[in-house]
Amino acid sequence: MNIICNKSSGHFHLYNDRISYIIAVAPSGELTNIYFGKRIHDRDNFSYVIFQMGMPNIAVDADTESYSMELNRQEYPSFGTTDFGMPAFEVETENGSRISSFVYKSHSIYKGKKELTGLPATYANEEKEAMTLEVLLEDEQAKIVLTLFYTIFDNYPVVARHAEFRNEGKDTVKLTKALSCCLDLPDQNYEMMQFTGAWARERIPEVRKLTNGITAVESKRGTSSANFNPFVIMKRPKTDDFSGEAFGFSFVYSGNFIAAAEGSTYGRLRIVMGINPERFTWILESEESFVTPEVVIAHTDLGLNDLSRTYHRLYNNNLVRGKWKNRPRPILNNNWEATYMDFTEESILNIASKAKQAGVELFVLDDGWFGERDDDFAGLGDWVENPKKLPQGMAGLSRKINAMGLDFGFWIEPEMVNPNSNLYRRHPEWVLAVPGRKPSLGRHQLVLDFSRKEVVDYIYNMLYKVISGASISYIKWDMNRPLTEVFSMDSPPEKQGMIYHKYVLGVYSLYTRLIETFPDILFESCSSGGNRFDAGMLYYAPQAWCSDNTDAIDRLRIQYGSSYGYPIVSIGSHVSNVPNQQTGRSTSIATRANVAYFGTYGYELDLNEISSKDFEEVKEQIEFMKKYRELIQFGDFYRLRSPFETDQTAWMVVSKDKKKAIVGFYCMKSNVNTLPGFLRLAGLDEETLYKMEDREYYGDELMNMGITLSEFYNKGFTISEDYSSFVSVIEAV
Ligand code: DGJ
């Protein structure tokens, strides 16, 4: 890894073993992109790449009379001079002008990576892990300094980018758009893979062909959202999981966002990502700075499995922090689907005791333990134990659960308040709402104004009391409605455009305080399942409840889709009861576990209520997961067969030394009178002899010829039964 600065030609070349990212100071003084992709040699001068010929009906820089931003690739483009594409930012100065020209002033190159104050971001623990280039550009008239940050990691084909604006003038200016990055590519032969859905059907991959014009996904819900995930892939049309070129764009942020690709009619493809400019206006007063969140851009020429593994490794090693970083996760039992809010301490202890017998390690008490919370009409905001349900409070319950030999954790939803709560009756001005207008409800609740420090402080103090008084090793932080009527009763009119972002900063600040005070607690983020499943959250909560849909067959799609951008160990996945409470579908306890193994693993049911035969199986499942969780959660993950293309799905994990692997195969729908065929495995060592079930195979045999599915699975005319599955361990002999 290195960053070369060639002073005479004015170019910067960031490279490691796999990638080169080359930028240069353009003749106009702005920054232009020369190249991003597979590693190439450096040379003295790349200025031949810059296009400087006249073309009809374009605008050119007045000094050179030949350089047009529109005909070149920009690093952080403005609109209003010589480029007509999507800008990365817009600054409105006091005279109403929105024209900017940020030209190169200086740069610095250093080892390591700086933090982004108040924001989540990848980090480099040691200086040799990463190098950073900061390029300082200035708009001399507006007296605003723009710094573009580029970090290249030694071990990953990744460049992390963000920008910072600093107002060095006397006048206040408005940032009406401040995205995190722009990457212009020289051709448009790409498809955009996006991860879309809604509640209970999150992160389903969809592919759109790119062409002239704009293709975009966004969130305006205040969270990153289940509807469009802040992760997109731009891939060559033939790129699949095993081969081909692609770029990934992962936004390390949990609020409104936009990810857009724009094909210009001159052939350029522009990709931008950042905070959604809709309803965003940041007032930047003299001497103030605004820092954008980070985008992690990854490149592969080896297919999408390789791209995903880059994100898995980078996020496990350089985004997740604290005690739970790279640690196998406890097997838990959560009572939500078992009881909903209808429980007593006795019924909870009953569930926990059976869980302990099965081998579970952590018991989690979900929603309903506080205030007047017997249904979802009341109680949010009143973070005090309900004595009818917990006579000795959280302290008493946690002690009793600990005495059984289980760790204990519980559920919170700190950003919300029910109108029927003591908190709302005392502080109706603490919610996001426009005075005099009725605020919209979501699950009968309102959103607290987390842009206000006193609101965050108040919630922190209430939670502190409950947590510090009890023995808590896990917290599930939920968030169950989108933001609407985003107006803060504490902010002046001109600052209302800052509230969406300040809200997210408030959420991050509460997380930071809780993590700093209780560093051993494992946080799991949740937002009606997967409404805030993003890289930003992983900085605080190393795992996320991936979906409220616990149906094994639907989960195959959801977990498969989630694996493109997020580590397996971050995917909250549990076995629940059948018929499934979201879909009505019944699957065997074996298949439910075979799916849930590929995540954090746990049970979302009362184990007293399953048959004794199933209970015996559950004990074996827990033993299996304890033995193999490190491999599953931190091994190299390969998608083998897509649930979106066939009626079967398969995936596998391989240990770093390639001596062990586990493959999961699932039949979502049986196909009568078809041959089961073969399943080609991946990631093994070609020369090694492996044992899988009763047979030995060479790695090259498993990867090229594949396993004969009929041996594992199918007997007779059908390709097995609907919802059948197997999970098989492969070990080097
Ligand atoms: C939504 C979550 O996704 C569920 O798992 C559960 O915690 C409920 N909220 C509780 O209200």
Side-chain angles (χ1 to χ4, degrees), residues 336 366-367 411 443 476 478 480 526 528-529 545 548 604:
W336 178 241
D366 211 282
D367 193 356
W411 175 99
R443 205 196 188 194
K476 176 176 174 187
D478 206 346
N480 283 307
C526 173
S528 298
W545 183 228
D548 274 352
E604 191 93 1

Side-chain angles (χ1 to χ4, degrees), residues 301-315:
D301 58 329
L302 301 169
L304 300 183
N305 270 321
D306 177 69
L307 189 80
S308 299
R309 278 196 305 280
T310 294
Y311 283 108
H312 295 180
R313 290 177 187 155
L314 178 75
Y315 286 173

Side-chain angles (χ1 to χ4, degrees), residues 172 174 279-283 285 433-435 486-500 502:
T172 298
K174 278 188 210 161
R279 301 296 160 98
F280 169 88
T281 304
W282 199 265
I283 304 296
E285 282 162 21
V434 184
V486 176
F487 184 93
S488 172
M489 295 183 219
D490 191 39
S491 281
E494 69 280 9
K495 295 206 167 165
Q496 294 297 334
M498 300 165 82
I499 302 304
Y500 271 111
K502 283 178 91 176

